[in-house]
Amino acid sequence: MAVMDRARTVSPGEPAEAGKKGASGAGVLLALLATVVWSGSFVATRGMADSVPPVQAVFWRWIIAGLAVAPFAARQAWQQRALIRRHFGFIALATFFGVALYNTLVHQAGLTTSASNMGMIMAASPVLMALYARLGGERLGLRRTFGLLLAAVGVLLLVGGGSPGLDVGAGDLWMFAAALSFATYSALLKRKPAELGGLAFLITTFVLGALMLAPAYAVSLSVQGGFDATAGTVGPLLYVGVFSSAVAFFAWNKAISVIGAARAGVVYYLQPVCVAVLGFWLIGERTGPAQLLCMALILGGVALGARR
């Protein structure tokens, strides 16, 4: 009764405001979860670059991801099959940029550039997300714009090894293309029909992505041959299939639906920091004072840009 009495004294606007703040915080945490998991995928992608051809790695990634989410998503997808058919054009476009093209470009980049460079270059995608949001009529605000610029400076200095310059190689160019593809996917997610369930959308994109890649997979098999199923290939594939695909994509899609692509994109700036930490833990790469300063700029930009 005491709880009920206290609830009666709360003004009508307060619960709604508290709910908004809670949802905003949950959205930021979901974006952070996806960012951390995706950071690990760059290490896994780089680890199997010499043993699994890129197209084959991406194809099996989505087969594994589809199997991972099927027990949770198949029923919803079947119940919403009419909605899926109605919005198939949108789903196919999102699948092409976010599932088929983006991840193929990432695995292609892993052949000739380091995991650290992959994570750092991908941090450019929030700038593109913010530009998409601005073109769509969303006002970014002075604080969020300043946060984006501050984090962008940190990323540029981090990639340049403490100086504004950047020595771009072939793998780096593939990653820039991947960043553009991922930003396009994130912008498209804002147009996802509200009535289409998140799990139904997820498993549909996974299955459709595998179908899109099937012809390229067949060509790769005939030209390059297959790969040996060892711990060094199956382990990374399971990680990118279950965690980087099923878990991270669900978290990212949900985060965008809650806080929008621009704010989720600012959280994504943490990726170079996550990659650097994982690089230290897994392969012993050390971070110097200049890199720590760059990471501080990135974190400061995230803190400013992620707030309302």
Side-chain angles (χ1 to χ4, degrees):
M1 288 295 294
V3 174
M4 293 178 63
D5 290 339
R6 286 197 298 270
R8 292 189 188 98
T9 64
V10 177
S11 62
E14 288 181 11
E17 184 64 26
K20 288 180 181 179
K21 290 181 179 179
S24 179
V28 172
L29 288 177
L30 287 169
L32 180 60
L33 171 63
T35 299
V36 173
V37 173
W38 276 329
S39 298
S41 73
F42 290 126
V43 179
T45 297
R46 181 59 181 159
M48 60 178 165
D50 297 329
S51 53
V52 185
V55 171
Q56 296 183 38
V58 179
F59 176 80
W60 282 109
R61 171 179 184 156
W62 299 120
I63 295 295
I64 295 170
L67 293 174
V69 302
F72 313 99
R75 181 177 180 182
Q76 186 183 86
W78 176 253
Q79 292 173 340
Q80 297 191 340
R81 59 190 183 277
L83 275 173
I84 293 172
R85 286 195 299 268
R86 186 186 312 163
H87 301 290
F88 186 78
F90 163 80
I91 295 173
L93 191 62
T95 299
F96 174 74
F97 283 106
V99 175
L101 181 60
Y102 162 63
N103 289 278
T104 302
L105 291 171
V106 168
H107 282 264
Q108 183 65 36
L111 295 176
T112 52
T113 192
S114 66
S116 295
N117 270 18
M118 292 164 69
M120 293 172 189
I121 294 171
M122 270 305 297
S125 60
V127 176
L128 301 171
M129 294 178 204
L131 291 176
Y132 275 126
R134 186 67 186 90
L135 291 174
E138 180 177 336
R139 294 186 61 184
L140 301 180
L142 181 60
R143 181 167 53 191
R144 193 186 304 176
T145 301
F146 181 73
L148 283 167
L149 292 176
L150 185 63
V153 170
V155 169
L156 289 176
L157 291 176
L158 190 60
V159 173
S163 63
L166 175 62
D167 185 14
V168 182
D172 298 330
L173 291 176
W174 285 117
M175 281 307 303
F176 279 120
L180 177 60
S181 180
F182 182 74
T184 304
Y185 169 75
S186 297
L188 284 171
L189 286 181
K190 293 193 66 177
R191 300 182 179 274
K192 185 180 82 69
E195 66 271 19
L196 182 61
L199 288 173
F201 175 76
L202 203 66
I203 192 172
T204 303
T205 58
F206 290 173
V207 173
L208 188 56
L211 291 175
M212 288 180 178
L213 290 165
Y217 174 75
V219 172
S220 177
L221 276 180
S222 64
V223 174
Q224 300 172 294
F227 61 91
D228 296 327
T230 65
T233 58
V234 175
L237 282 174
L238 287 175
Y239 179 86
V240 298
V242 176
F243 294 100
S244 297
S245 300
V247 175
F249 265 80
F250 178 80
W252 184 256
N253 294 355
K254 184 65 176 178
I256 287 182
S257 69
V258 174
I259 61 176
R263 293 186 68 209
V266 174
V267 178
Y268 195 75
Y269 264 122
L270 285 170
Q271 186 159 256
V273 181
C274 297
V275 173
V277 172
L278 290 173
F280 175 75
W281 282 350
L282 299 177
I283 58 178
E285 289 183 352
R286 296 192 175 275
T287 302
Q291 286 74 26
L292 290 175
L293 175 60
C294 296
M295 291 181 191
L297 291 174
I298 295 171
L299 289 170
V302 170
L304 284 174
R307 294 179 60 190
R308 285 192 179 276

